[in-house]
Amino acid sequence: MNSQQEFVLRTVEERDVRFIRLWFTDIQGYLKSVMMSPSELEGAFEEGAGFDGSSVEGFARLSEADTILLPDPSTFQLMPFDREQSEIRAARMFCDISMPDGQPSLSDPRQVLRRQVESAAADGFSCVVSPEIEFYLLSKHPAADGITPVPTDNGGYFDQAGHNEVPNFRREAMVALEAMGIATEFSHHETAPGQQEIDLRHADVLTMADNIMTFRYVIKQVALDNGVRASFMPKPFQDYAGSAMHSHMSLFEGERNAFHDPDDEFSLSVTAKQFIAGILRHASEITAVTNQWVNSYKRIMFGNEAPTAATWGVSNRSALVRVPTYRLNKEESRRVEVRSVDSGCNPYLSYAVLLGAGLKGIREGYELEDPAEDNISLLTRRERRAMGYIDLPRSLDHALRKFESSELMAEILGEHVYEYFLRAKWKEWHSYQEQITSWELESLLDY
């Protein structure tokens, strides 16, 4: 037993923790949980905890149902919502998933990302990520039709929360996140009524994916405690902006930021430019993962400042990859911001494909074109084509066609995740297609 496991066991006893929540994520990014008694924890560290993998969609066939959860002691945190009720105090740990023979499960999104982390390490790199996570706060009292979401306020960008239905929400959320070891940097009201943003401080990419899953859980719990609800749906309102998860990424070689070059006009190293070029060249293949829902494409097509083409720019918020110009000469701040990712993605798979594409660009020496200086979202399709810009997929159907012809995506995700993801998403698209919408009825029923 290692020192981290011993620390967890000691803390559980000293803090009188009554329940251990073992967390893992399915292929589509839904958080799953198994509750364990503390008396079983030492055995779980030594042998894992068995569960029926066939009950989790995409994890295992019925004949391969026996699956094992391996708690990661480095992710141990006390749950902040049980502080006033010591008799039900709980903690959580993220788990890796393995098969009975000890091999990592081919269905585990966390293992998919870990493979890319190890691939980067083989090249001497570690990946650091900092996301800006947008979401909506919605009233629990729906509109007259019982379906239409209602925002909790009528605020706009950077507005104070004095007249909000939940004026202290972001403060309470940040306290809860910090209690779970998730460092935050900024929070503010976003552009649309009810829309919020909280930015997380940078961390290594695997830790950050864990943090994002925890973030969603915490935000939803704080919302419920305040009598409202939180939604990470990419675009819940026709007339308001969608919710993005702009992700700032950089590679480090030891303590040195591999993206920084003080002699370059934008302080970007050759490595950084090749990384950007990798993401841009494979952007169409990546999009089905970073924007995995039918609704995601309502944001890409109609969202404010959402990227519509595979471009990069310096301080250009309409580009897919933006190079921030804050503190250009500060080495540790040199990074690239990927703006296509939405708040409804599976962070493990999304960061795996972004990192994998960027590494491919570095290994194969991709050339980076000149930066875009136009507001790309205002250009027509013909204008974008004339300027050499390649449009991002405009629907899940289009994205899946690009995804299923991509050898790189199959390589990064592994055959099992790749094939299941395709099946699940084609099913979603076909289910969406066969609907008869209210717009169609209103427009055509009297024809």
Side-chain angles (χ1 to χ4, degrees), residues 23 75 118 151 256 297 304 311 342 345 352 423 426:
W23 281 4
T75 66
E118 292 171 350
R256 188 182 74 84
Y297 297 85
N304 297 355
T311 57
D342 66 40
C345 74
R423 288 198 305 272
W426 276 126

Side-chain angles (χ1 to χ4, degrees), residues 48-311:
F51 78 107
D52 181 3
S54 67
S55 299
V56 180
E57 194 174 4
F59 261 56
R61 294 171 296 187
L62 194 62
S63 59
E64 302 168 338
D66 291 342
T67 317
I68 296 172
L69 293 172
L70 299 172
D72 181 348
S74 70
T75 66
F76 175 84
Q77 286 289 344
L78 296 174
M79 301 299 293
F81 307 104
D82 304 322
R83 286 172 296 185
E84 305 303 321
Q85 298 175 290
S86 59
E87 69 277 7
I88 59 168
R89 183 171 292 146
R92 75 95 167 96
M93 280 183 287
F94 280 97
C95 296
D96 293 315
I97 299 169
S98 75
M99 305 308 292
D101 62 2
Q103 293 298 311
S105 168
L106 299 176
S107 308
D108 183 7
R110 203 166 187 258
Q111 299 281 19
V112 171
L113 180 54
R114 179 177 279 110
R115 288 200 302 269
Q116 290 306 306
V117 170
E118 292 171 350
S119 178
D123 290 348
F125 297 120
S126 60
C127 181
V128 171
V129 177
S130 174
E132 304 169 359
I133 309 176
E134 297 171 352
F135 58 95
Y136 275 92
L137 286 182
L138 306 172
S139 173
K140 293 192 78 172
H141 309 292
D145 61 9
I147 299 173
T148 304
V150 177
T152 55
D153 63 72
N154 290 312
Y157 204 49
F158 289 148
D159 274 359
Q160 284 284 0
H163 301 291
N164 288 3
E165 194 172 331
V166 281
N168 297 320
F169 173 83
R170 290 196 304 273
R171 186 188 316 166
E172 293 176 18
M174 292 174 77
V175 169
L177 290 166
E178 296 278 353
M180 294 200 70
I182 299 175
T184 60
E185 289 189 330
F186 304 104
S187 76
H188 60 84
H189 197 289
E190 256 296 335
T191 57
Q195 193 179 34
Q196 316 292 325
E197 176 179 308
I198 297 179
D199 303 345
L200 303 187
R201 189 172 301 159
H202 63 271
D204 72 88
V205 65
L206 184 57
T207 297
M208 185 54 71
D210 289 341
N211 287 350
I212 291 167
M213 295 306 301
T214 304
F215 179 95
R216 291 176 182 163
Y217 174 86
V218 168
I219 292 298
K220 287 179 176 290
Q221 289 299 313
V222 175
L224 288 173
D225 288 348
N226 280 272
V228 298
R229 55 188 175 137
S231 174
F232 294 91
M233 182 178 178
K235 200 173 191 301
F237 295 98
Q238 177 177 323
D239 297 328
Y240 301 146
S243 291
M245 191 172 77
H246 302 149
S247 295
H248 297 253
M249 304 182 73
S250 54
L251 296 181
F252 278 75
E253 294 177 298
E255 298 297 318
R256 188 182 74 84
N257 188 339
F259 279 6
H260 181 70
D261 181 355
D263 298 324
D264 180 75
E265 179 183 4
F266 307 121
S267 297
L268 281 180
S269 67
V270 171
T271 297
K273 293 175 182 178
Q274 292 170 339
F275 187 89
I276 295 171
I279 290 175
L280 297 184
R281 183 177 297 190
H282 299 285
S284 294
E285 306 157 49
I286 287 169
T287 302
V289 180
T290 57
N291 307 87
Q292 69 164 326
W293 305 106
V294 164
N295 178 257
S296 297
Y297 297 85
K298 305 293 176 69
R299 168 182 167 260
I300 288 177
M301 292 181 69
F302 307 111
N304 297 355
E305 295 186 349
T308 56
T311 57

